[in-house]
Amino acid sequence: MASERTNRHSSQRLAARILVVDDEPRLASTLATLLRSCGYDATEAHGGRRACELIDTQRFDLALLDLRMPEVDGFAVMTHLENQQPACGTIVISGESSFTTVSRALRRGALDYIRKPFDPEDLVATVKGVADKQSLLKAHENIQGRLEKSEALHRYIVNSSPDIVFMLDADGRFCFINSKIESMLGYKPVELCGQHFRHILDDRDVARGIYALNAPDISADNPRTLEIRLKTRGSRRATRHFEVTAFPIDPQTWMHNGNTQGGGSGQNACYYGTARDVTERKEAEAFINFQAYHDLLTRLPNRALFKDRLELAITHAGRGSQKLAVMFLDLDRFKIINDTLGHAMGDRLLQAVTQRLESCLRKGDTLSRFGGDEFTLLLPSIHGHEDASQIARKLIKALKAPFLLGEHEVFVGVSIGIAIYPEAGSSMDQLIQNADIAMYHVKAKGKDSYRFFSESMSIDSTNRLNLERDLRLALKRNELRVFYQPQVCASTNRIMGLEALVRWQHPERGLLYPRDFLGLAEETQLISQLSEQVLDQACRDVGKWIRSGHRDLRLAVNLSPVEVEHPKFVETLMKRVKANRFPPGNLEIEITENVLMNDLDQISQKLRELADMDVRIAIDDFGTGYSSLNYLHRLPIHTLKVDQSFVKAIHSGVDDACIVNAIVAMAHGLKLEIVAEGVETESQLQYLRTLGCHQVQGFIYGPAQPATDISKLLAHTTVRTALSG
């Protein structure tokens, strides 16, 4: 008999009539064909209007609906179906995937939601599950009719129910409870009978439960349904959520059946109820809500939640005449690490950064991930700038120590912009925008620090945006120019090398110098593209002069710290050199002492690799940074460039030139070449010659010049001869 019932149920499922609705005929036909191949009776409807016509004339067990259709959309079809055939189930198949659309469809009665494009196997499995469920629902309705005639069958269904079924006496004590309570919560039915229902309720829900049962309008036609938390056996706090439905009954109508498998007889029952476990649904709802307002990688509030909290904090601060601070944090060097080690390591780094930042916060502060490597921080109820400064210093200090990612030890810093309410803005958008502006000013001044927003920054920000737009266009339009400043032998006046210096021929502002745009290029990640164009042009120009007879001519190029710190710096540089067929032995790269000291071990390795390929290394602006004899001895350095500020100190007195004397003497002792920058007068030149300075460069030989002028200089024996000519 069991086999016969199974076969009959299977044939009913296979014979289920299904309406397939889509405004794309080919897709509707494909769906219908797929369902027919599985034994279903499928009917196609091309569009919502045709679907409504079929619903009026034919009966269906299940409808597969698209939502977005012209004239009559899927929601309208669902309404029509509910009015005409309420027993027909609905599955939505749509490309719409927003939470609002999915939620609306499910609220309107959809039994499931399949997103386009779909997997045929998944779709068939979903249809099977829903069709089976519909079949079970219909079977349940039949059983309900039979229950009215058979109390014994009623008892059987109660004890086989997937829900907890219970009865309470007038005082709220259990007088019957089915065996489902044991598998769900661990109680034996017999041990609960005679206990008040509060025994299994979470303490926070007891009052709500008592109030619901004592409501004056509760009846069998108007039952009470509420979500409450029930405790598992032996626990103090509830761990599972249940949807409880209860209503009063007449004790005289309940007749005891001795075959019940639950606890208690049900005598003296005044309330009948069921409890359905909805824990998984509640957890799913909580997760969906968490997703909507949190960043899943760091578990921090996202942009939407941060703005909600900021709006609320502004309202409170306005009422109480208080101050608050908004911080905009941007990680330094994160992009380099992410590009080099991969996104997985980048994600791990963001999680580690989050933990350190959270350790610096006060109770009530809100740290959010705003996007990428950007964070925002809300500091409510501060007394003034010093409170914000203290937090900012803690955040910077927290990120100073290296991060260990697998076998890699990496360093990141943070640039922080701060906007104080109300002086830096009275609205949410103003405070966030102004904190962002202040952060960019930190980036421009060297990173790894903090600054407060001031009104003057707004003007600078507007100019910066315009200049950034123009710089992007300049790179596309080849507006960058390479000028060259000769490095001249102090004793023979021969040109030994050329330092490549970038200029920007702006279409409206004329010729711009590096100080006007290089900082912006670094901030906006355009520095690599800019340097690539400059290096290519310089290699082509100087390479041509080398091949024309100036075999020993050296090309000196300044490199940005951003480029040197990149793990693929050596590979990228040599790729450009080879692409332009430039001899590596004629190339000299100039870096500052500060770049070396940022990460001495990593930079040392890169410089050794370059030196092994005959590239020369020069320390630019020597004397203005760390000036450590230790690194001069350890690294493959060929040249020291004396900063022009020391050269300018050379006048008639020897005391003013003591630093130059010391640098030149040290270079001689270490067998390094010396290039003095910023030489402008004959007296400076003569003094440097007497010291034994090898090479000089500066305005005494004229400003940096374009390639056409340099070609003329190189045609003469010495630069002095060319200038006098």
Side-chain angles (χ1 to χ4, degrees):
M1 291 180 65
S3 176
E4 181 181 347
R5 284 196 301 271
T6 301
N7 292 335
R8 184 167 64 251
H9 174 68
S10 177
S11 65
Q12 289 174 350
R13 175 181 62 79
L14 292 175
R17 291 180 52 80
I18 300 178
L19 176 63
V20 179
V21 186
D22 201 295
D23 61 328
E24 294 184 24
R26 186 169 62 178
L27 182 55
S29 177
T30 301
L31 272 171
T33 301
L34 176 64
L35 294 173
R36 291 186 191 111
S37 69
C38 297
Y40 294 103
D41 184 0
T43 302
E44 303 170 30
H46 299 161
R49 187 179 303 279
R50 177 56 180 163
C52 292
E53 293 172 356
L54 290 171
I55 290 168
D56 291 337
T57 58
Q58 300 181 35
R59 307 302 296 176
F60 298 98
D61 301 306
L62 186 62
L64 272 62
L65 286 177
D66 185 19
L67 289 181
R68 184 181 293 179
M69 294 183 292
E71 298 182 352
V72 179
D73 65 7
F75 290 110
V77 175
M78 290 174 70
T79 301
H80 190 71
L81 189 61
E82 183 179 4
N83 293 334
Q84 299 298 319
Q85 301 187 39
C88 180
T90 303
I91 297 176
V92 171
I93 303 179
S94 176
E96 295 282 348
S97 61
S98 69
F99 176 79
T100 301
T101 303
V102 174
S103 176
R104 182 184 174 193
L106 295 177
R107 289 199 309 271
R108 295 291 292 273
L111 300 176
D112 212 325
Y113 195 107
I114 300 174
R115 182 181 175 185
K116 294 179 181 178
F118 55 83
D119 181 83
E121 292 185 4
D122 290 345
L123 182 136
V124 170
T126 301
V127 170
K128 177 182 180 299
V130 172
D132 287 349
K133 183 178 179 181
Q134 290 294 93
S135 179
L136 288 174
L137 289 174
K138 290 179 180 179
H140 184 68
E141 291 175 0
N142 293 331
I143 291 173
Q144 287 293 97
R146 294 167 61 189
L147 281 176
E148 296 177 0
K149 302 177 182 179
S150 173
E151 184 179 327
L153 182 59
H154 180 209
R155 285 289 190 175
Y156 173 78
I157 295 298
V158 165
N159 285 291
S160 302
S161 170
D163 302 331
I164 296 172
V165 180
F166 62 90
M167 302 180 80
L168 305 175
D169 64 17
D171 295 326
R173 295 188 297 267
F174 289 107
C175 55
F176 169 79
I177 192 162
N178 70 347
S179 58
K180 198 67 178 178
I181 189 76
E182 185 170 5
S183 61
M184 283 191 173
L185 297 176
Y187 302 96
K188 292 185 180 299
V190 292
E191 68 178 304
L192 286 181
C193 285
Q195 296 274 4
H196 195 276
F197 71 81
R198 68 160 58 93
H199 181 75
I200 65 172
L201 258 62
D202 186 275
D203 295 341
R204 295 165 289 182
D205 292 332
V206 171
R208 292 174 58 234
I210 293 175
Y211 175 80
L213 287 181
N214 293 326
D217 58 342
I218 185 173
S219 67
D221 295 328
N222 187 31
R224 280 291 172 270
T225 298
L226 67 159
E227 287 186 1
I228 56 178
R229 290 156 288 192
L230 301 183
K231 294 185 289 188
T232 55
R233 192 172 189 273
S235 65
R236 294 184 177 182
R237 301 284 285 185
T239 57
R240 301 197 70 79
H241 294 262
F242 285 79
E243 183 179 81
V244 176
T245 300
F247 54 87
I249 59 173
D250 183 355
Q252 300 302 320
T253 64
W254 180 260
M255 298 174 60
H256 168 53
N257 186 303
N259 293 326
T260 181
Q261 297 175 5
S265 64
Q267 290 179 337
N268 303 319
C270 291
Y271 295 96
Y272 179 95
T274 61
R276 173 165 294 179
D277 191 337
V278 294
T279 305
E280 291 185 2
R281 190 194 77 195
K282 294 288 290 184
E283 290 175 348
E285 290 173 354
F287 180 68
I288 290 171
N289 185 63
F290 186 86
Q291 279 185 312
Y293 291 101
H294 290 80
D295 169 56
L296 295 183
L297 175 65
T298 61
R299 316 293 287 181
L300 291 175
N302 62 11
R303 185 182 304 213
L305 182 54
F306 179 82
K307 288 185 174 182
D308 285 346
R309 292 186 180 176
L310 178 54
E311 283 278 24
L312 186 61
I314 290 172
T315 301
H316 288 169
R319 289 174 181 170
S321 300
Q322 297 177 329
K323 294 179 180 291
L324 64 82
V326 173
M327 292 186 178
F328 203 103
L329 293 74
D330 187 270
L331 299 183
D332 302 329
R333 297 182 291 278
F334 174 79
K335 188 176 186 300
I336 293 174
I337 296 168
N338 198 47
D339 291 346
T340 306
L341 301 182
H343 294 295
M345 286 296 187
D347 288 347
R348 286 176 57 184
L349 178 58
L350 287 173
Q351 291 170 333
V353 166
T354 297
Q355 291 178 358
R356 291 197 193 176
L357 294 179
E358 286 184 313
S359 68
C360 302
L361 304 185
R362 311 168 305 169
K363 185 177 181 180
D365 297 341
T366 297
L367 176 68
S368 85
R369 185 183 178 201
F370 219 59
D373 62 342
E374 296 177 336
F375 297 81
T376 49
L377 175 59
L378 166 62
L379 304 177
S381 304
I382 64 170
H383 296 97
H385 285 62
E386 183 52 37
D387 287 350
S389 296
Q390 185 176 356
I391 296 293
R393 288 192 292 267
K394 286 178 66 177
L395 296 172
I396 293 170
K397 183 179 179 181
L399 300 186
K400 284 285 187 185
F403 291 84
L404 190 62
L405 303 177
E407 299 177 352
H408 304 279
E409 188 178 68
V410 300
F411 293 82
V412 294
V414 62
S415 298
I416 305 175
I418 309 173
I420 302 293
Y421 170 89
E423 52 259 43
S426 57
S427 71
M428 171 192 69
D429 291 333
Q430 282 180 326
L431 289 169
I432 294 174
Q433 179 181 352
N434 290 340
D436 190 15
I437 291 171
M439 182 274 295
Y440 271 110
H441 279 74
V442 176
K443 292 279 190 184
K445 297 294 182 181
K447 307 177 182 178
D448 211 21
S449 184
Y450 69 92
R451 288 193 69 177
F452 288 90
F453 173 81
S454 63
E455 288 298 331
S456 62
M457 290 181 181
S458 294
I459 300 172
D460 293 343
S461 179
T462 301
N463 292 336
R464 178 189 173 281
L465 289 174
N466 292 334
L467 194 63
E468 179 183 343
R469 177 202 61 204
D470 291 350
L471 182 55
R472 292 183 185 277
L473 290 174
L475 291 169
K476 293 180 181 178
R477 297 172 178 172
N478 295 318
E479 293 175 1
L480 298 181
R481 303 287 181 265
V482 183
F483 281 41
Y484 301 92
Q485 187 167 49
Q487 295 174 337
V488 182
C489 177
S491 58
T492 66
N493 287 329
R494 294 183 65 85
I495 297 177
M496 307 297 292
L498 297 167
E499 181 177 359
L501 301 170
V502 64
R503 302 288 187 264
W504 177 6
Q505 190 62 55
H506 194 283
E508 297 174 0
R509 300 170 61 177
L511 194 65
L512 300 182
Y513 288 78
R515 62 176 178 271
D516 299 320
F517 59 89
L518 278 189
L520 178 63
E522 289 187 356
E523 289 177 35
T524 54
Q525 309 294 328
L526 296 174
I527 189 66
S528 296
Q529 189 177 348
L530 183 150
S531 294
E532 182 178 308
Q533 289 190 12
V534 171
L535 182 61
D536 283 348
Q537 185 59 53
C539 285
R540 287 194 294 267
D541 288 341
V542 179
K544 179 179 63 177
W545 294 324
I546 291 172
R547 289 188 292 274
S548 67
H550 303 277
R551 296 182 179 278
D552 297 326
L553 187 63
R554 185 173 62 247
L555 168 61
V557 292
N558 286 283
L559 295 172
S560 161
V562 174
E563 297 174 89
V564 178
E565 290 173 357
H566 197 288
K568 294 186 178 180
F569 160 62
V570 174
E571 177 185 339
T572 303
L573 176 66
M574 297 312 297
K575 183 178 180 180
R576 303 312 312 167
V577 171
K578 291 178 182 177
N580 290 285
R581 296 185 295 117
F582 189 85
N586 291 70
L587 177 65
E588 182 171 81
I589 63 167
E590 299 182 359
I591 58 176
T592 63
E593 296 170 279
N594 292 344
V595 173
L596 288 173
M597 304 313 294
N598 279 344
D599 191 350
L600 184 58
D601 291 338
Q602 291 292 330
I603 301 298
S604 300
Q605 178 61 32
K606 295 173 185 177
L607 297 186
R608 291 190 188 96
E609 291 178 23
L610 289 175
D612 289 342
M613 290 182 278
D614 297 329
V615 176
R616 295 169 57 88
I617 313 297
I619 303 301
D620 198 14
D621 301 333
F622 185 77
T624 61
Y626 293 91
S627 303
S628 169
L629 290 175
N630 182 42
Y631 80 72
L632 288 177
H633 178 71
R634 289 171 54 190
L635 300 181
I637 295 170
H638 304 86
T639 305
L640 296 182
K641 298 194 72 177
V642 183
D643 187 67
Q644 58 183 337
S645 61
F646 302 132
V647 173
K648 287 181 180 179
I650 299 175
H651 294 299
S652 56
V654 176
D655 291 341
D656 294 331
C658 60
I659 295 179
V660 176
N661 296 352
I663 293 174
V664 173
M666 179 175 60
H668 286 163
L670 294 172
K671 295 181 172 54
L672 299 176
E673 290 190 17
I674 285 286
V675 177
E677 297 181 287
V679 180
E680 298 179 354
T681 66
E682 190 69 33
S683 62
Q684 292 171 343
L685 178 59
Q686 291 302 327
Y687 188 88
L688 291 166
R689 281 174 174 165
T690 60
L691 288 179
C693 183
H694 306 126
Q695 299 171 44
V696 295
Q697 70 179 87
F699 274 29
I700 191 171
Y701 299 114
Q705 303 172 61
T708 52
D709 294 339
I710 295 297
S711 294
K712 296 175 183 176
L713 282 177
L714 291 173
H716 293 79
T717 305
T718 66
V719 68
R720 279 299 180 93
T721 304
L723 290 172
S724 63

